[in-house]
Amino acid sequence: MSSPQVSTRIEDPASVDAAITSRFSARAFLPRPVPRETIEGILDVARRAPSGTNTQPWKVYVLQGASRDALVDKVCAAHDAIYADPSLAAEYREEWDYYPERWVSPYIERRRENGWGLYGLLGIARGEKDRMHAQHQRNYRFFDAPVGFMFTIDRVLGRGSLMDCAMFLQNVMVAARARGLHTCPQAAWNGYWKIVLPHIGAGEDEMLVCGMSLGWADESAPVNGFHTPREPVQSFTRWLD
């Protein structure tokens, strides 16, 4: 007797593909609330993500209302303090190296294209540091999304658990799209883990993986017209016969 996972047929593959391909990092959200049952439904689907030996290493903290707003205030204050005194940046370093210490081609070109493409759309010119700072701080306001996620794993775990958590994150984002919602995964929070982890009540053995904004995208916001390109399949695939 086959299990439901084996016997289930996908009757509308186009909708599955659309949920994946319409996902993008939304950077402007409406204040419209997201019902708790919708969030729980997303997480219920996402938990089917694979993980090495079924360790399921992810932990999720959902911030709404006062808890969300209080964290925004704390981290924005720290972000402003660093802008005023860059020497304070040493107090806020990521626990794990999301980005490389040295950028090489083609990754540095893609990174620059992303950054200047976004700033160009917003009319932020090179050297406009105040406007760049304000736009970067939008991360710490969850881009006005009513829901913020924080994802953690136990520090004792290995790098493979970060990959497991990443697959869980993708499930969250795709399940959100299936419900008409949008998301923005955010590594920007990682440098402020000393503020985030106590605020959400995480244990001392937990490490912040990233944050994420969730909500209804503001379709009228120009910034949501910024969609990054993807390399064609043939550029990253090798067929071996």
Side-chain angles (χ1 to χ4, degrees):
M1 183 176 180
S2 64
S3 69
Q5 284 91 339
V6 174
S7 61
T8 296
R9 298 289 182 264
I10 307 301
E11 301 297 339
D12 184 13
S15 291
V16 178
D17 291 351
I20 296 170
T21 58
S22 65
R23 187 221 63 82
F24 75 103
S25 294
R27 292 179 174 87
F29 292 86
L30 300 172
R32 177 182 171 189
V34 180
R36 177 168 178 157
E37 56 267 27
T38 301
I39 301 171
E40 290 179 342
I42 290 170
L43 297 176
D44 188 47
V45 170
R47 69 191 176 95
R48 292 304 308 173
S51 60
T53 63
N54 200 34
T55 50
Q56 304 173 68
W58 45 80
K59 296 180 181 179
V60 186
Y61 297 86
V62 184
L63 294 110
Q64 298 174 280
S67 65
R68 173 205 173 281
D69 296 347
L71 181 62
V72 166
D73 290 344
K74 291 176 185 178
V75 175
C76 284
H79 186 237
D80 285 338
I82 293 172
Y83 187 56
D85 181 1
S87 68
L88 296 176
E91 299 180 22
Y92 301 99
R93 297 190 181 280
E94 296 101 337
E95 281 200 273
W96 60 283
D97 51 347
Y98 185 93
Y99 292 113
E101 291 185 7
R102 183 175 66 88
W103 288 93
V104 298
S105 184
Y107 313 111
I108 184 61
E109 289 85 4
R110 293 173 186 167
R111 177 178 172 86
R112 287 169 176 163
E113 179 186 30
N114 180 75
W116 291 117
L118 175 62
Y119 285 158
L121 178 67
L122 296 172
I124 300 174
R126 293 176 187 267
E128 290 189 292
K129 294 182 179 180
D130 288 350
R131 294 189 66 194
M132 289 180 182
H133 173 75
Q135 178 58 34
H136 187 63
Q137 191 170 104
R138 296 279 296 149
N139 279 280
Y140 311 123
R141 300 183 183 280
F142 291 108
F143 299 107
D144 297 329
V147 181
F149 288 129
M150 291 295 162
F151 302 94
T152 73
I153 61 172
D154 287 338
R155 289 193 178 94
V156 71
L157 296 172
R159 290 186 179 181
S161 292
L162 288 171
M163 184 170 70
D164 296 339
C165 195
M167 290 187 279
F168 174 77
L169 291 168
Q170 179 70 3
N171 274 6
V172 169
M173 293 185 282
V174 172
R177 285 302 303 121
R179 291 157 176 80
L181 294 155
H182 277 285
T183 55
C184 185
Q186 299 167 265
W189 290 95
N190 292 6
Y192 297 96
W193 64 270
K194 291 182 180 178
I195 298 174
V196 173
L197 295 181
H199 181 86
I200 63 178
E204 294 183 358
D205 57 344
E206 291 178 57
M207 180 178 74
L208 182 63
V209 176
C210 69
M212 183 185 291
S213 301
L214 170 75
W216 308 97
D218 183 352
E219 297 182 9
S220 68
V223 71
N224 281 338
F226 179 68
H227 299 156
T228 53
R230 292 294 185 271
E231 292 295 306
V233 172
Q234 58 267 28
S235 75
F236 58 79
T237 305
R238 298 294 179 269
W239 298 93
L240 306 174
D241 296 323

